[in-house]
Amino acid sequence: MRFTGTDAYVAGKDLTIAVNAAITLERPLLVKGEPGTGKTELAFQIAEALGLRLIQWTVKSTTRAAQGLYEYDAVSRLRDSQLGDEKVNDIRNYIRRGKLWEAFASEERVVLLIDEIDKADIEFPNDLLQELDRMEFDVYETDETIRAKHRPIVIITSNNEKELPDAFLRRCFFHYIQFPDPETLARIVDVHHPHIKQDLVRAALTQFYEIREQPGIKKKPSTSEALDWIRLLVAEDIEAKDLRDSPTKALPKLAGALLKNEQDVHLFERLAFLARRQG
């Protein structure tokens, strides 16, 4: 079972090696990188390429590790007991399976995506150590042990918002998705816009990288924002010649797709003002 990429996802050699190494070692693959570099999409493409079902667990700041295993709804059971409902006699009626339980109980191998693990509390990764390592957990209310029928391929993403515990890192295979170089990004654009004019792609990417590399920019535009911007350029029928001015001489066309805060907009407005004054 090897991942070689898909027609819809440009995966570099280092990334495919990392995915296959994690599959071979049966370790979770921890993927870090800038927002918008395709970390979440990677799990979807692995599932598609290998013909497996994807189970996605999106982590939020309020998410607890136990929710990935199961939750016991004691409130509903109390209410039903007061109403005389007979199903209160079976506690299993009040246990809700989490995403890990769903993955462990699957009759076939699945891809389990734990998305943006760094959004949760710092103890969240440590609370999953044993379950991800041994592929089993206990349900205390029913006194049973849930074991994975087939070890899932686990993909964990992080935007690097906080450091992850060393004990957790030791159990993962790690890969950092570097921001794509112009050649790779051009291939990504070609996947999403196969019939786009190449002179427009070259002009757009030249301006895009000038914006990313501008000193003082607070939020660098990502791959997904580049794709959105180019899609708008095509929709508005903008020609390559309309993009040849440096973004420091004029605010980029459709700048709202690339610049996502007022500080960066003001930065390029000031640079354009100074360029006009010097001119």
Side-chain angles (χ1 to χ4, degrees), residues 188-203:
I188 294 172
V189 171
D190 189 55
V191 166
H192 290 267
H193 306 287
H195 305 299
I196 192 174
K197 298 176 183 177
Q198 290 305 303
D199 60 340
L200 176 61
V201 174
R202 287 191 294 270

Side-chain angles (χ1 to χ4, degrees), residues 31-232:
V31 185
K32 290 188 178 183
E34 290 184 30
T37 49
K39 301 184 296 297
T40 300
E41 183 62 23
L42 172 65
F44 285 85
Q45 296 302 320
I46 292 172
E48 181 177 334
L50 302 181
L52 303 177
R53 181 166 66 96
L54 177 80
I55 296 176
Q56 183 176 5
W57 183 15
T58 302
V59 177
K60 301 179 181 179
S61 60
T62 56
T63 303
R64 295 177 293 106
Q67 292 172 315
L69 308 178
Y70 69 93
E71 290 185 280
Y72 169 51
D73 191 354
V75 174
S76 292
R77 192 182 189 200
L78 175 60
R79 183 183 63 244
D80 289 345
S81 68
Q82 293 170 337
L83 296 174
D85 195 323
E86 290 187 0
K87 71 178 184 179
V88 300
N89 297 320
D90 188 352
I91 197 171
R92 290 177 177 83
N93 292 323
Y94 303 94
I95 291 178
R96 300 174 183 172
R97 296 185 179 190
K99 297 297 184 180
L100 265 71
W101 190 334
E102 184 182 347
F104 287 5
S106 175
E107 296 295 336
E108 55 190 20
R109 197 175 194 187
V110 300
V111 175
L112 173 63
L113 169 62
I114 304 176
D115 202 16
E116 298 190 336
I117 194 171
D118 53 328
K119 285 193 178 301
D121 184 85
I122 189 62
E123 291 303 320
F124 181 92
N126 279 337
D127 290 342
L128 291 177
L129 286 180
Q130 179 172 312
E131 288 75 14
L132 292 177
D133 200 24
R134 296 173 54 190
M135 286 288 149
E136 65 178 40
F137 64 90
D138 294 321
V139 182
Y140 299 106
E141 288 79 3
T142 60
D143 194 27
E144 62 181 323
T145 299
I146 305 300
R147 295 184 178 89
K149 295 181 179 180
H150 302 278
R151 194 177 188 98
I153 297 172
V154 182
I155 309 298
I156 302 172
T157 71
S158 169
N159 286 328
N160 229 4
E161 292 184 5
K162 62 169 69 84
E163 290 295 324
L164 298 174
D166 289 344
F168 179 79
L169 295 175
R170 282 197 300 272
R171 288 166 169 81
C172 298
F173 191 92
F174 173 76
H175 182 75
Y176 185 88
I177 298 183
Q178 299 286 349
F179 194 84
D181 57 31
E183 180 182 348
T184 303
L185 188 51
R187 289 169 55 204
I188 294 172
V189 171
D190 189 55
V191 166
H192 290 267
H193 306 287
H195 305 299
I196 192 174
K197 298 176 183 177
Q198 290 305 303
D199 60 340
L200 176 61
V201 174
R202 287 191 294 270
L205 293 186
T206 296
Q207 192 168 91
F208 173 78
Y209 278 97
E210 287 179 1
I211 293 171
R212 270 188 61 88
E213 295 163 8
Q214 176 60 44
I217 189 168
K218 183 176 181 181
K219 197 267 181 207
K220 294 182 178 182
S222 68
T223 304
S224 61
E225 288 160 340
L227 293 173
D228 287 345
W229 182 53
I230 291 173
R231 180 182 176 186
L232 285 173

